[in-house]
């Protein structure tokens, strides 16, 4: 009987992990720098490995790598299978840590059955997927069809490799994506996404020094992932600030000097700030109106947003303000944009099909730029919502631009790949796997857009804290994940 890392928990160390080929490959990968857009070293490693094993390779114009692995004995007549992962990693470190992601190797440690890196991201997202594909290609005891290992480029910055994947790299019609992070779950769908910006020319005018400026700050909100957390009862700071200022505009006269909120397109804004100005005699009433509006919202959301706070204070009078036309167009756009769930999935219970996040309001080069981020597993829904945003922009004389669409992946509960995955999991563990879809991005959506007949599922071990220095992978689930992959390949 094969000894695995699970059997050796009491004496776990980096060297004992190497007894399993998946761990041996992953530990090698952690020693190779591979930030997004700086993937030359991991590319060289993969090509050298393929050459040493006499595997043919092909690289497309987007720097995606395909490695072609012959079938094992007795499986020559089986149809080939794609194993897919991405070669880049998110590079984040704790502030006090000195580390060069372009040149340094990760420092690994084992804590309570989890493998992590000291003070940096680990890159289990998606180095574990690469390692699993390499192990499946070279393990001597495995039974499997021919493999087409697809290692995509620059996934962490918008699925760039997958979105630009060549249509002649793959011949297989079945794919196993190796990039999910919850062991025991089999994923059958994901959301596509598209971002858009609306740009206002900052038409400012001089402001009377007799006015009083008021700084308004909204903070203490949870924020979160704009896909995974969009259906939770959380407040979007950008949307709240916009609605509060619009409510104020219905009852009081004021000028707007500044507004900003949010940062990343795929994050729900946690903080927002605005500066407005008014007549001195109106300050008290304006403060009262703002405070009353906040308290009404706090009464509704305090259980889910217990730290939701509003700070109002008088500050030095701003020298300039947005002209009235800009102020009203800005409020028109901000209050017209829906932020939150747009539709629930008809295919799976409790799954968000479509959503939009009012991501940020920023001042850039004297322009005011609003960013939205729309997700759906239905590409038509994204297109329709983007068209509505474009109309809102046109009606308010605003410059509209949108990014490339990252397509979604609609769940197919009749999928043969899903049946193989479910049967293999039950055979190994005598229990049913959880079948899920995710309202976030996987490369599956972009790949199926290029290969419409691809039947696919996504699996992975348990990874926590991805994209942060807290990233860690649960050691025993890596072994179980790899056993599932081998069992699936044997059935395909």
């Amino acid at each position: 009987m094969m000894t695995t890392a699970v059997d050796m928990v009491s004496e776990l160390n980096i060297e004992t992990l190497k007894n399993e080929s998946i761990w041996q490959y992953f530990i090698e990968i952690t020693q190779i720098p591979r930030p997004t857009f700086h993937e030359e070293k991991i590319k060289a490693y993969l090509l050298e490995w393929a050459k040493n094993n006499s595997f043919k390779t092909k690289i497309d114009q987007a720097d995606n790598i395909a490695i072609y692995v012959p079938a094992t004995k007795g499986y020559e007549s089986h149809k080939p299978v794609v194993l897919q992962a991405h070669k880049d990693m998110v590079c984040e470190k704790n502030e006090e840590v000195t580390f060069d992601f372009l040149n340094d190797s990760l420092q690994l440690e084992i804590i309570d059955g989890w493998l992590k890196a000291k003070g940096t991201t680990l890159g289990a997202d998606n180095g574990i997927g690469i390692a699993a594909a390499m192990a499946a290609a070279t393990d001597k005891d495995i039974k499997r069809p021919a493999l087409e290992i697809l290692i995509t480029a620059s996934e962490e910055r918008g699925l760039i490799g997958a979105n630009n994947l060549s249509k002649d790299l793959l011949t297989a019609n079945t794919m196993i994506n190796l990039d999910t992070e919850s062991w025991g779950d089999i994923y059958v769908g994901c959301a596509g996404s598209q971002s858009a910006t609306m740009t206002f020319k900052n038409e400012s005018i001089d402001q009377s020094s007799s006015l009083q400026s008021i700084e308004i700050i909204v903070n203490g909100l949870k924020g979160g992932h704009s896909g995974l957390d969009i259906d939770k009862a959380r407040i979007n700071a950008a949307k709240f600030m916009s609605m509060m200022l619009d409510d104020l505009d219905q009852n009081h006269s004021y000028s707007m000097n500044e507004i900003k909120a949010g940062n990343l397109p795929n994050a729900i804004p946690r903080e927002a700030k605005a500066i407005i100005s008014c007549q001195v005699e109106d300050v008290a009433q304006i403060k009262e109106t703002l405070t009353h509006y906040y308290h009404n919202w706090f009464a509704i959301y305090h259980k889910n947003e217990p730290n939701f706070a509003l700070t109002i204070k008088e500050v030095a009078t701003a020298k300039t303000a947005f002209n009235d036309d800009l102020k009203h167009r800005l409020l028109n756009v901000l209050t017209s944009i829906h932020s939150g769930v747009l539709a629930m999935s008809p295919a799976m219970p409790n799954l968000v099909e479509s959503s939009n996040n009012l991501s940020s309001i920023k001042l850039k080069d004297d322009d005011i730029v609003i960013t939205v981020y729309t997700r759906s597993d239905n590409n038509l829904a994204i297109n329709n919502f983007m068209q509505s945003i474009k109309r809102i922009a046109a009606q308010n004389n605003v410059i509209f631009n949108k990014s490339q669409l990252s397509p979604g992946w609609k769940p197919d509960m009749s999928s043969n790949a899903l049946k193989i995955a479910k049967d293999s999991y039950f055979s190994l563990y005598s229990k049913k796997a959880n079948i899920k879809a995710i309202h976030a991005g996987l490369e599956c959506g972009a790949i199926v857009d290029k290969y419409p007949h691809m039947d696919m599922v996504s699996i992975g071990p348990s990874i926590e804290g991805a994209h942060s220095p807290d990233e860690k992978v649960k050691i025993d689930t890596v072994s179980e994940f790899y056993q599932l992959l081998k069992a699936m390949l044997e059935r395909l």
Side-chain angles (χ1 to χ4, degrees):
M1 181 177 177
M2 183 178 65
T3 301
T4 70
V6 180
D7 303 315
M8 299 182 292
V9 171
S10 61
E11 53 183 272
L12 272 182
N13 59 56
I14 303 302
E15 290 305 313
T16 60
L17 289 181
K18 292 181 182 178
N19 290 329
E20 288 187 89
S21 57
I22 185 173
W23 281 114
Q24 181 178 349
Y25 284 125
F26 178 64
I27 290 167
E28 288 179 5
I29 289 167
T30 65
Q31 305 306 292
I32 303 169
R34 51 194 176 95
T36 307
F37 304 138
H38 298 279
E39 301 158 36
E40 303 84 3
K41 293 178 182 179
I42 187 65
K43 176 182 177 181
Y45 166 79
L46 291 167
L47 294 177
E48 182 68 18
W49 170 78
K51 179 181 177 182
N52 290 341
N53 286 280
S54 300
F55 300 149
K56 294 181 180 179
T57 60
K58 189 174 182 180
I59 303 170
D60 70 6
Q61 78 287 345
D63 210 39
N64 300 304
I65 302 171
I67 302 170
Y68 305 97
V69 182
T72 59
K73 187 176 180 179
Y75 277 72
E76 295 88 351
S77 63
H78 290 231
K79 294 181 179 180
V81 175
V82 178
L83 299 183
Q84 190 265 318
H86 62 83
K87 66 179 186 278
D88 61 325
M89 66 173 281
V90 170
C91 296
E92 291 287 338
K93 67 181 186 67
N94 291 325
E95 187 174 353
E96 71 277 6
V97 172
T98 300
F99 194 87
D100 180 1
F101 281 104
L102 290 174
N103 297 294
D104 294 345
S105 299
L106 302 179
Q107 302 300 305
L108 306 180
E109 60 182 348
I110 295 174
I111 300 176
D112 297 330
W114 295 77
L115 180 72
K116 68 184 302 294
K118 296 179 180 179
T120 69
T121 39
L122 174 63
D125 173 15
N126 186 221
I128 285 289
I130 299 174
M134 294 172 73
T138 55
D139 274 359
K140 302 302 182 185
D141 65 341
I142 197 169
K143 299 176 182 179
R144 53 155 182 78
L147 301 177
E148 298 177 352
I149 299 176
L150 175 62
I151 309 296
T152 49
S154 305
E155 186 267 357
E156 300 291 3
R157 295 290 185 88
L159 284 65
I160 294 173
N163 280 328
N164 295 283
L165 179 66
S166 294
K167 295 183 178 181
D168 61 353
L169 275 188
L170 306 174
T171 65
N173 288 321
T174 300
M175 188 182 98
I176 305 172
N177 169 278
L178 306 169
D179 190 24
T180 46
E181 300 171 0
S182 53
W183 170 242
D185 298 335
I186 298 170
Y187 283 86
V188 296
C190 72
S193 63
Q194 190 168 32
S195 65
T197 59
M198 285 149 282
T199 303
F200 298 75
K201 293 299 179 182
N202 188 357
E203 301 160 357
S204 294
I205 57 175
D206 292 336
Q207 179 169 273
S208 170
S209 59
S210 65
L211 298 178
Q212 176 61 59
S213 293
I214 301 170
E215 181 184 72
I216 308 163
I217 295 176
V218 173
N219 60 14
L221 296 168
K222 290 180 179 178
H225 190 286
S226 69
L228 301 180
D229 298 317
I230 200 72
D231 59 339
K232 297 179 173 62
R234 297 183 182 179
I235 297 173
N236 179 312
K239 187 66 176 179
F240 176 80
M241 179 67 80
S242 304
M243 294 188 300
M244 183 167 62
L245 291 178
D246 184 62
D247 179 77
L248 185 69
D249 194 53
Q250 307 306 311
N251 301 288
H252 300 280
S253 176
Y254 70 89
S255 58
M256 189 184 298
N257 312 102
E258 178 183 324
I259 184 170
K260 61 181 181 180
N263 186 22
L264 299 174
N266 61 355
I268 300 170
R270 296 179 296 110
E271 300 178 351
K273 173 185 172 182
I275 296 177
I276 64 172
S277 297
C278 63
Q279 298 292 333
V280 173
E281 59 269 24
D282 294 334
V283 169
Q285 283 191 325
I286 283 179
K287 285 183 177 181
E288 182 179 346
T289 299
L290 293 170
T291 302
H292 180 71
Y293 190 86
Y294 158 74
H295 281 307
N296 284 339
W297 274 73
F298 187 80
I300 298 170
Y301 284 92
H302 69 278
K303 288 184 179 179
N304 292 294
E305 294 281 14
N307 299 314
F308 173 30
L310 174 69
T311 304
I312 307 169
K313 64 178 181 180
E314 297 173 29
V315 294
T317 302
K319 294 181 180 180
T320 61
F322 304 158
N323 67 28
D324 283 345
D325 178 66
L326 173 58
K327 169 192 163 184
H328 290 299
R329 286 189 296 119
L330 187 58
L331 289 177
N332 283 344
V333 169
L334 288 169
T335 55
S336 298
I337 297 170
H338 177 86
S339 189
V341 175
L342 293 165
M344 299 300 290
S345 172
M348 299 190 74
N350 303 316
L351 173 68
V352 177
E353 180 203 67
S354 307
S355 71
N356 183 64
N357 182 47
L358 176 56
S359 304
S360 63
I361 309 166
K362 295 182 178 181
L363 187 66
K364 294 182 178 179
D365 300 324
D366 292 329
D367 292 335
I368 303 165
V369 181
I370 298 170
T371 301
V372 298
Y373 196 86
T374 306
R375 298 178 187 268
S376 182
D377 62 21
N378 179 350
N379 297 336
L380 181 61
I382 295 177
N383 291 333
N384 287 346
F385 189 78
M386 281 293 166
Q387 188 62 36
S388 71
I389 296 293
K390 185 177 179 180
R391 285 186 178 278
I392 291 170
Q395 290 164 0
N396 290 279
N397 192 26
V398 179
I399 300 168
F400 173 86
N401 285 293
K402 63 182 180 181
S403 70
Q404 181 180 5
L405 172 68
S406 293
W409 170 31
K410 289 192 72 63
D412 177 8
M413 304 310 290
S414 65
S415 156
N416 182 60
L418 173 59
K419 182 181 185 304
I420 293 290
K422 290 194 298 184
D423 290 348
S424 299
Y425 187 92
F426 188 83
S427 177
L428 285 170
Y429 305 110
S430 300
K431 60 181 180 180
K432 293 181 179 180
N434 302 310
I435 312 304
K436 293 185 176 181
I438 188 170
H439 192 60
L442 290 173
E443 290 171 291
C444 298
I447 293 169
V448 79
D449 186 60
K450 303 294 192 301
Y451 295 88
H453 301 294
M454 191 72 77
D455 181 18
M456 61 182 77
V457 293
S458 181
I459 58 174
S462 291
I463 298 171
E464 293 184 358
H467 299 190
S468 82
D470 296 324
E471 182 185 4
K472 59 184 180 179
V473 60
K474 198 168 192 299
I475 290 170
D476 59 357
T477 69
V478 172
S479 299
E480 293 173 325
F481 152 65
Y482 184 53
Q483 294 305 315
L484 175 60
L485 175 61
K486 290 198 296 182
M488 290 173 63
L489 290 173
E490 187 171 347
R491 289 169 180 257
L492 282 165

